[in-house]
Amino acid sequence: TVRFSKKARPFIEESLWHHSQEIKREKDGSILFRADVAEPREVLWWALQWGADAEILEPKELREEAKKTIERMMMLYA
């Protein structure tokens, strides 16, 4: 599950990213994107392309991997 910002929402909604995808609009204009994928790391790479307009929520292990990747990126730009 990935939360996309209101800003990214139109770009996510206009395309079929995965055959199992489900998109739910939130009251604040963001969306929750869910899909059952064989390789969750693909979701990590895809979500990171959206920068701060995407937040990986589940699975917990993928969220933790995203945090570690972002921390390493922060050290590169420090």
Side-chain angles (χ1 to χ4, degrees):
T1 303
V2 181
R3 176 183 292 121
F4 287 96
S5 71
K6 181 179 179 179
K7 178 180 162 186
R9 185 182 81 202
F11 302 104
I12 304 302
E13 288 182 324
E14 75 183 7
S15 298
L16 178 63
W17 297 96
H18 193 270
H19 69 278
S20 70
Q21 76 184 41
E22 297 175 13
I23 295 175
K24 178 184 172 196
R25 286 189 179 189
E26 298 288 281
K27 290 181 182 181
D28 64 358
S30 66
I31 58 172
L32 294 179
F33 176 95
R34 293 185 177 96
D36 291 321
V37 296
E39 178 50 62
R41 293 193 75 194
E42 291 180 26
V43 175
L44 170 66
W45 302 322
W46 177 58
L48 289 176
Q49 293 179 64
W50 292 94
D53 288 310
E55 176 187 6
I56 297 172
L57 302 175
E58 297 176 327
K60 182 180 176 182
E61 298 81 20
L62 192 62
R63 182 177 173 88
E64 290 303 316
E65 188 172 346
K67 285 181 184 181
K68 290 175 185 174
T69 299
I70 293 165
E71 287 169 357
R72 288 193 310 269
M73 290 172 67
M74 287 174 32
M75 290 188 336
L76 289 174
Y77 290 93

